[in-house]
C-alpha cells in the first residue's frame, strides 16, 4: 500500500477546523455546564479522521430535554430496571425512560448468575442495552407499518406510543483501570445508551448489598474515572449523558490515602497497639477461625485501639477542607504544643484498605468535587435532601437521580401511606427529576410469575383463559401485532407480492 500523498497545510486547516467545532459544541446549552480538564485540541488529536454519528447522541438529547422540562415544571420521571424487550415495550406506554440495572443483568443476563457484585463481564450491560435498543427500533417499525396501512380516519383512533425511550444504564465502577473504563464508555455509546452512571466503589470490592465492607476509592481516582468517560464521549463527539453516583454514605473503607481531600475522614489508631492485620494473621495461623471469630477478634482489637479521625484526636474543628494529614498534624502541634498520637496504618484491613468514617459532609464534598464533570448527581442514600440543597446552592440547575430499593422499610422509617405517595414529588422538588426502582423485576416479575405459575398448576388451562387470555384479548392483545406478524407480512408483500396474489 502506497503512503498517502498528504498536503500538510490542508491537514492543518482541517484539524484546526475540527478543534473549533469541538469548542463550539462545548458551548451548546447541553454541554455548557460541563467543565473539562483538557482542551478541545487534545481531544481532536485523539479522534478518528472520519466522524461517526451515534444513536446515543440523539437519545441523550431527548433525555436531556425531558429532564430540563421536568426541572422547569417541578415534575419527575419514575421508571424501573428491565432487561427484557417485552417488558420494555409495555413500559413505553407509561414511562419516558428505561433503566438497565447491573444487578438485574448479573442475575439474569449472564452465563453464571450471581449477586450484585459487579463481577459479570464488562460488556454485559452494554450488550443488554443494545438488545433493548434494537427491540425498541423494531417496535417503532412495527407500529409505523401497521399505522400506515390504515386510513387516516382509522389511524386517528389508534393508540400510538413512543417506543424509543432513552435508556439509562448501570456502568458500575467502570470495570477496572482507566483503559477498561474508556472501552466500556465507547461500547455504551455504540449500544445506543442515553446515559450511564459511574460510581466511586472499589473495583472487585462491591459488597454493600450485604451491608459489609463497602469500599470506596479516593476522590482523585473517582475524578479520573469520570474524566475517562467524559474524554471518551468527547472523542466520539457523543452527547451521551453521565450520571455520577457516589457511595460514600455507609462506606467502611477507602482503598488509599493518596488524596488529601479524603484525609479528614480516615480513621487511625490513637493508642499504641499492634497492627490489626498482624493480629488477624496470627488468628488465621492459629487454626481455621470462622468468620464470626474473626469479626470478634477485630471488634476486640477495635476496643483497644482508640479509633478516631485525626481531627477528633486533636479536638480540632473540621473546617480544613482538603488539608493533608501532614498540615493537620502541624496545625495541631502548634496549638496543642505536643504531637497528636494518630496512626492510620494500624487499622488497615488485611487487603490493605484504610478505615473510613463516612459523613454527609464528606459525601457533599465529593459530589461537589465531581459535579462539573457530569450531568446528574446521585448521592446513594435514603435522605439526600441536605446534599441536594448544598449542590443546588452552587449549581442551581443541578439534576439529581434517586433510587428506591427493594427492601426499604417505609413504615419503619416513619412514612405514612400518604407520605409514600407524595415521596416522588417531594424528591422532585429537591431536584431529583430522575427516579428509579432499579431492581423492580427481581420482586415484580417473580411475584407475577409465581401467581401465574400457581394458577396454571391449580386451575389448569381454564385459569389461563380466565385470568390472562380473556383480559389480554379484551385490550387488543391477540399476540399477532406484538409479535410483528403484520410487519413480516409486509416484507413478504414487498419482496414478492405477485406470489401471494
Ligand atoms: C442500581 C444498582 O446498582 C443496580 O445494580 O441496579 C443497585 C440496585 C440496588 O441494590 O437496589 C444499587 O443501587 O447499587
Amino acid at each position: 500500500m502506497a503512503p498517502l500523498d498528504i498536503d500538510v497545510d490542508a491537514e492543518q486547516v482541517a484539524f484546526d477546523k475540527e478543534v473549533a467545532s469541538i469548542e463550539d459544541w462545548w458551548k451548546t446549552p447541553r454541554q455548557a455546564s460541563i467543565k473539562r480538564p483538557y482542551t478541545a485540541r487534545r481531544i481532536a488529536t485523539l479522534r478518528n479522521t472520519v466522524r461517526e454519528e451515534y444513536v446515543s447522541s440523539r437519545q441523550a438529547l431527548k433525555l436531556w430535554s425531558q429532564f430540563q422540562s421536568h426541572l422547569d415544571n417541578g415534575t419527575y420521571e419514575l421508571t424501573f430496571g428491565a432487561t427484557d424487550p417485552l417488558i420494555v415495550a409495555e413500559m413505553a406506554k407509561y414511562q419516558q425512560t428505561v433503566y438497565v440495572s447491573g444487578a438485574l443483568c448479573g442475575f439474569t443476563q449472564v452465563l453464571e448468575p450471581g449477586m450484585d457484585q459487579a463481577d459479570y463481564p464488562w460488556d454485559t450491560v452494554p450488550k443488554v442495552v443494545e438488545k433493548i435498543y434494537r427491540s425498541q427500533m423494531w417496535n417503532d417499525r412495527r407500529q409505523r407499518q401497521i399505522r400506515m396501512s390504515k386510513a387516516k380516519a382509522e389511524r386517528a383512533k389508534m393508540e400510538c406510543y413512543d417506543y424509543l425511550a432513552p435508556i439509562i444504564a448501570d456502568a458500575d465502577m467502570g470495570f477496572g483501570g482507566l483503559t477498561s473504563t474508556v472501552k466500556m464508555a465507547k461500547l455504551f455509546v455504540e449500544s445506543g445508551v442515553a446515559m450511564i452512571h459511574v460510581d466511586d466503589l472499589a473495583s472487585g470490592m462491591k459488597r454493600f448489598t450485604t451491608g459489609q465492607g463497602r469500599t470506596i476509592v479516593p476522590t482523585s481516582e473517582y475524578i479520573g474515572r469520570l474524566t475517562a468517560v467524559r474524554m471518551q464521549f468527547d472523542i466520539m463527539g457523543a452527547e451521551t449523558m453521565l450520571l455520577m453516583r457516589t457511595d460514600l454514605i455507609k462506606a467502611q473503607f477507602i482503598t488509599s490515602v493518596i488524596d488529601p481531600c479524603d484525609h479528614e475522614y480516615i480513621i487511625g489508631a490513637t493508642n499504641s497497639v499492634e497492627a490489626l492485620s498482624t493480629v488477624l494473621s496470627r488468628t488465621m495461623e492459629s487454626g481455621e477461625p470462622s468468620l464470626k471469630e474473626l469479626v470478634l477478634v477485630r471488634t476486640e482489637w477495635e476496643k483497644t485501639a482508640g479509633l478516631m479521625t485525626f481531627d477528633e484526636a486533636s479536638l480540632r474543628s473540621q473546617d480544613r477542607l482538603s488539608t493533608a494529614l501532614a498540615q493537620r498534624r502541624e496545625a495541631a502541634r502548634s496549638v496543642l504544643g505536643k504531637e497528636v498520637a494518630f496512626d492510620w496504618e494500624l487499622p488497615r484491613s488485611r487487603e490493605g484498605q484504610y478505615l473510613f468514617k463516612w459523613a454527609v459532609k464528606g459525601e457533599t464534598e465529593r459530589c461537589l468535587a465531581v459535579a462539573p464533570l457530569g450531568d446528574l448527581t446521585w448521592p446513594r442514600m435514603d435522605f439526600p435532601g441536605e446534599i441536594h440543597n448544598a449542590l443546588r446552592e452552587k449549581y442551581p440547575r443541578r439534576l439529581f437521580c434517586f433510587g428506591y430499593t427493594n427492601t426499604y422499610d417505609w413504615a419503619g422509617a416513619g412514612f405514612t401511606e400518604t407520605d409514600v405517595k407524595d415521596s416522588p414529588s417531594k424528591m422532585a422538588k429537591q431536584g431529583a427529576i430522575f427516579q428509579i426502582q432499579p431492581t423492580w423485576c427481581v420482586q415484580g416479575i417473580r411475584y407475577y410469575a409465581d401467581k401465574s405459575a400457581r394458577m396454571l398448576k391449580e386451575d389448569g388451562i381454564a385459569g389461563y383463559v380466565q385470568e390472562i387470555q380473556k383480559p389480554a384479548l379484551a385490550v387488543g392483545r391477540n399476540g399477532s401485532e406484538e409479535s410483528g406478524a403484520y410487519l413480516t407480512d409486509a416484507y413478504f408483500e414487498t419482496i414478492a407480492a405477485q406470489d401471494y396474489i
Side-chain angles (χ1 to χ4, degrees):
M1 190 170 60
L4 293 174
D5 187 14
I6 289 284
D7 172 348
V8 286
D9 290 327
E11 184 186 41
Q12 190 64 46
V13 169
F15 181 78
D16 291 344
K17 225 169 118 190
E18 173 127 27
V19 172
S21 84
I22 297 173
E23 279 163 356
D24 289 345
W25 174 46
W26 288 352
K27 287 184 202 133
T28 58
R30 152 77 192 95
Q31 295 287 333
S33 61
I34 300 164
K35 300 278 168 290
R36 280 100 173 157
Y38 44 74
T39 60
R41 184 161 294 275
R42 194 180 271 275
I43 291 299
T45 62
L46 299 170
R47 283 187 167 185
N48 279 100
T49 51
V50 290
R51 282 297 303 280
E52 286 191 276
E53 295 299 327
Y54 298 99
V55 160
S56 179
S57 288
R58 187 189 70 215
Q59 295 299 86
L61 288 172
K62 183 171 176 177
L63 185 65
W64 175 256
S65 65
Q66 286 171 355
F67 286 174
Q68 294 302 318
S69 90
H70 282 309
L71 188 65
D72 291 338
N73 301 322
T75 50
Y76 58 91
E77 159 69 352
L78 173 59
T79 193
F80 60 91
T83 50
D84 187 296
L86 293 175
I87 297 176
V88 170
E90 295 306 313
M91 290 170 78
K93 298 182 212 153
Y94 311 100
Q95 271 76 38
Q96 281 182 320
T97 61
V98 179
Y99 177 71
V100 180
S101 145
L104 203 56
C105 287
F107 285 133
T108 64
Q109 305 295 303
V110 285
L111 287 178
E112 188 61 35
M115 184 72 183
D116 183 19
Q117 311 290 139
D119 57 0
Y120 44 80
W122 69 277
D123 56 354
T124 302
V125 182
K127 281 179 177 159
V128 173
V129 170
E130 183 166 358
K131 174 181 77 173
I132 289 179
Y133 177 67
R134 284 172 178 273
S135 79
Q136 291 178 318
M137 286 294 274
W138 176 78
N139 275 306
D140 179 67
R141 281 198 300 282
R142 189 178 60 68
Q143 173 172 259
R144 182 187 170 105
Q145 189 279 327
I146 201 162
R147 286 186 68 78
M148 298 322 288
S149 68
K150 311 273 184 217
K152 260 163 80 179
E154 201 175 338
R155 233 158 51 218
K157 289 186 247 139
M158 289 168 70
E159 285 170 349
C160 184
Y161 300 106
D162 179 3
Y163 284 107
L164 295 169
I167 303 169
I168 293 93
D170 187 350
D172 283 289
M173 63 288 290
F175 284 91
L178 293 183
T179 55
S180 316
T181 303
V182 163
K183 287 182 189 169
M184 180 209 66
K186 181 167 185 285
L187 205 57
F188 265 122
V189 172
E190 289 164 349
S191 74
V193 85
M195 176 165 83
I196 60 169
H197 64 81
V198 176
D199 61 49
D200 58 352
L201 287 163
S203 255
M205 291 181 173
K206 184 170 181 183
R207 289 193 199 135
F208 75 91
T209 24
T210 48
Q212 286 295 312
R214 185 182 301 193
T215 305
I216 54 167
V217 295
T219 306
S220 50
E221 190 173 332
Y222 184 39
I223 290 176
R225 260 180 210 175
L226 297 169
T227 308
V229 173
R230 178 58 63 198
M231 175 195 77
Q232 183 57 36
F233 289 173
D234 285 340
I235 291 172
M236 298 172 93
E239 301 279 6
T240 318
M241 292 173 69
L242 176 58
L243 163 57
M244 299 166 303
R245 164 172 149 163
T246 39
D247 278 82
L248 186 144
I249 298 293
K250 304 224 173 97
Q252 202 180 349
F253 297 109
I254 187 163
T255 51
S256 128
V257 291
I258 197 67
D259 190 342
C261 289
D262 304 315
H263 287 187
E264 184 176 330
Y265 308 101
I266 315 285
I267 295 173
T270 55
N271 295 335
S272 170
V273 285
E274 258 187 305
L276 173 65
S277 56
T278 312
V279 176
L280 287 173
S281 296
R282 206 166 40 236
T283 314
M284 300 282 288
E285 282 154 19
S286 71
E288 234 179 67
S290 66
L291 191 59
K292 213 167 148 200
E293 281 160 341
L294 282 171
V295 171
L296 198 71
V297 170
R298 181 194 180 109
T299 317
E300 286 307 312
W301 179 88
E302 282 170 356
K303 283 187 199 150
T304 63
L307 293 178
M308 58 189 90
T309 65
F310 181 82
D311 288 346
E312 287 164 346
S314 61
L315 297 174
R316 299 274 299 156
S317 71
Q318 299 183 1
D319 58 0
R320 282 160 291 152
L321 187 67
S322 303
T323 310
L325 181 70
Q327 278 112 52
R328 285 172 194 271
R329 271 198 196 287
E330 188 54 47
R333 195 185 300 120
S334 71
V335 173
L336 303 173
K338 61 172 180 145
E339 200 65 47
V340 175
F342 176 85
D343 189 343
W344 61 25
E345 299 295 323
L346 297 176
R348 288 178 75 178
S349 72
R350 277 166 50 85
E351 285 163 304
Q353 302 137 301
Y354 289 81
L355 212 49
F356 189 79
K357 181 172 181 176
W358 67 268
V360 170
K361 180 171 173 282
E363 173 77 347
T364 311
E365 285 161 15
R366 199 166 263 227
C367 289
L368 279 166
V370 298
L373 281 168
D375 304 294
L376 272 82
T377 298
W378 180 9
R380 192 183 183 282
M381 60 196 289
D382 297 335
F383 297 98
E386 189 183 331
I387 297 179
H388 288 198
N389 290 343
L391 264 90
R392 270 145 66 102
E393 222 167 84
K394 188 152 182 214
Y395 306 103
R397 286 191 68 80
R398 193 76 210 157
L399 303 169
F400 296 90
C401 167
F402 181 76
Y404 298 92
T405 53
N406 283 0
T407 49
Y408 187 63
D409 179 5
W410 292 84
F415 283 86
T416 63
E417 274 179 29
T418 317
D419 292 339
V420 177
K421 213 167 158 205
D422 293 346
S423 202
S425 71
K426 277 202 180 136
M427 290 302 309
K429 303 276 175 302
Q430 294 171 9
I433 44 79
F434 180 57
Q435 301 178 25
I436 47 178
Q437 201 320 4
T439 52
W440 176 87
C441 284
V442 175
Q443 276 176 327
I445 293 301
R446 295 179 74 166
Y447 177 75
Y448 289 114
D450 173 88
K451 255 178 99 150
S452 208
R454 182 155 25 107
M455 180 194 64
L456 207 65
K457 172 83 183 157
E458 289 173 1
D459 305 329
I461 201 67
Y464 157 74
V465 171
Q466 197 53 34
E467 299 287 329
I468 296 178
Q469 192 193 39
K470 264 194 194 167
L473 286 177
V475 294
R477 295 293 154 121
N478 62 15
S480 65
E481 188 182 329
E482 293 86 359
S483 64
Y486 294 107
L487 185 60
T488 310
D489 284 349
Y491 290 153
F492 287 141
E493 279 167 26
T494 309
I495 301 164
Q498 65 279 14
D499 292 347
Y500 298 92
I501 295 167

